[in-house]
Amino acid sequence: MTTLSDSFAAARERSDDLAAEVAAQPGRFRVLTGERPTGRLHLGHYFGTIRERVRLQGLGVDLWVILADYQVITDRDTLGRVRENVVNAVLDYAAAGIDTSRATVFTHSAVPALHQLMLPFLSLVTEAELHRNPTVKTELAASGRALSGLMLTYPVHQAADILFCKGDLVPVGKDQLPHLELTRVIARRFNERFGQVFPEPRALLTSTPEIPGLDGRKMSKSYGNAISLSMTADETAALIRRAPTDADRRITFDPDARPGVSALLTTAALCLGSDEVTLADKLGDGGGSALKKLATDAVNDFFAAHRARREELAADPDFAIGLVREGNRRAGEIAERTLDEVRAAMGTVY
Ligand code: TRP
């Protein structure tokens, strides 16, 4: 039986090979990527994933973006303001340069045939494999809750998210690698057991390291340390003003000893296309206020066009939801086609 364990170095190497293939023949790839609509998108999303999606689309790949709304309830009780979060995500995608006339943006809860793949897929994995998934373990511990059936099986659900449209390239961060490995195992086992239907999708590792929140912890809406893409320049300035720094006027990059100062340097460096040490040297003995001014101006300049475009798009109340409806229609169509192939392979055509 194939095991799910896989070294990160090997994944990195395969990802580099894949990047070369994509650059050579972008038209051969269907990219499936996405996230849970749990809140406003922030700088971490932009530099971690959105920018990469725009780049891939610019190369000419077929881009599919899933808003995994069912997945929101893996570790929380309610979906919260899920519709609002979906609308806001679409506005940020479009403002960031995702070409919404070509890309398919959809919510998986609206695609019934996608979920029907879950049943045969569940038959292809063992309970032990599901319990072994390190990302699920971490999320379970962080949730402080009992393990629900959905939490245990959501990586199988994610395999359906990817395979329903035969996505063959999935840009991922390190935490999503176990899910992608499981998706590959499921595709392989399905093809072996029932007949060839699915590609084995490959992981394209995103190269941007995790971007810290303003206090140096993981950037997260719930910590209040995230700069949302949808904030105004004034809101951004106010948030950065409140960010913790320290009394040492000499600015240095030292994420362990000086998390707040270092996070501001990283934020500014990303927006300015510079690096933290260069910026720290330039600031010298300028202290926290000069650093905060630099970071505020860097973020506000970098996102000025994004925010203006976002505001324009938001003025049309039908734009975002219209786009999702069209995406859901396209996703539904392709999901039905795939499900027909699955039925044929399984001998359940009536
Ligand atoms: N699990 C992903 C996250 O938490 C979201 C997601 C759901 C996803 N389905 C997907 C990502 C399919 C890539 C492909 O961010």
Side-chain angles (χ1 to χ4, degrees), residues 32-36 66 68 71 154 158 161-162 170 176 179:
L32 186 291
T33 166
E35 54 235 327
R36 306 174 194 200
I66 186 166
Q71 232 185 61
Y154 93 80
Q158 189 154 329
D161 287 345
I162 295 167
V170 186
Q176 297 292 304
H179 300 350

Side-chain angles (χ1 to χ4, degrees), residues 60-284:
V61 304
D62 180 20
L63 180 66
W64 290 61
V65 185
I66 186 166
L67 289 161
D69 47 0
Y70 273 143
Q71 232 185 61
V72 174
I73 46 169
T74 49
D75 61 357
R76 59 191 84 198
D77 292 325
T78 69
L79 284 157
R81 304 216 257 197
V82 70
R83 191 175 192 277
E84 189 185 313
N85 295 338
V86 164
V87 164
N88 277 300
V90 171
L91 291 173
D92 278 319
Y93 295 159
I98 288 182
D99 177 355
T100 49
S101 66
R102 287 190 291 145
T104 306
V105 183
F106 67 104
T107 51
H108 65 177
S109 72
V111 187
L114 180 160
H115 305 290
Q116 209 170 325
L117 297 175
M118 208 37 197
L119 283 160
F121 287 2
L122 279 168
S123 78
L124 299 169
V125 294
T126 66
E127 187 214 352
E129 284 173 323
L130 294 176
H131 278 288
R132 220 182 283 141
N133 186 306
T135 300
V136 171
K137 279 191 206 168
T138 308
E139 288 169 345
L140 175 65
S143 77
R145 296 161 51 120
L147 179 63
S148 73
L150 182 61
M151 171 72 103
L152 181 65
T153 57
Y154 93 80
V156 181
H157 195 188
Q158 189 154 329
D161 287 345
I162 295 167
L163 294 174
F164 89 100
C165 67
K166 303 193 180 178
D168 51 12
L169 195 168
V170 186
V172 286
K174 199 175 170 186
D175 66 319
Q176 297 292 304
L177 275 177
H179 300 350
L180 195 72
E181 209 39 53
L182 182 73
T183 301
R184 292 168 57 82
V185 166
I186 288 173
R188 199 177 312 138
R189 289 181 189 162
F190 185 97
N191 295 339
E192 278 164 13
R193 189 172 298 179
F194 299 112
Q196 179 68 37
V197 174
F198 296 109
E200 280 181 46
R202 294 193 284 167
L204 189 66
L205 278 166
T206 38
S207 50
T208 320
E210 195 167 274
I211 297 141
L214 290 173
D215 53 3
R217 288 191 290 172
K218 184 181 156 69
M219 187 178 283
S220 160
K221 203 183 103 187
S222 50
Y223 293 155
N225 64 1
I227 303 172
S228 306
L229 303 179
S230 57
M231 276 179 179
T232 63
D234 287 347
E235 286 166 342
T236 304
L239 191 72
I240 292 179
R241 211 175 300 125
R242 288 197 303 272
T245 49
D246 54 45
D248 188 349
R249 290 197 59 81
R250 172 128 213 115
I251 301 302
T252 53
F253 183 60
D254 184 350
D256 291 327
R258 308 182 74 188
V261 165
S262 301
L264 286 167
L265 284 169
T266 299
T267 303
L270 280 165
C271 294
L272 294 170
S274 178
D275 68 89
E276 291 94 341
V277 175
T278 306
L279 294 179
D281 288 349
K282 226 188 261 172
L283 286 163

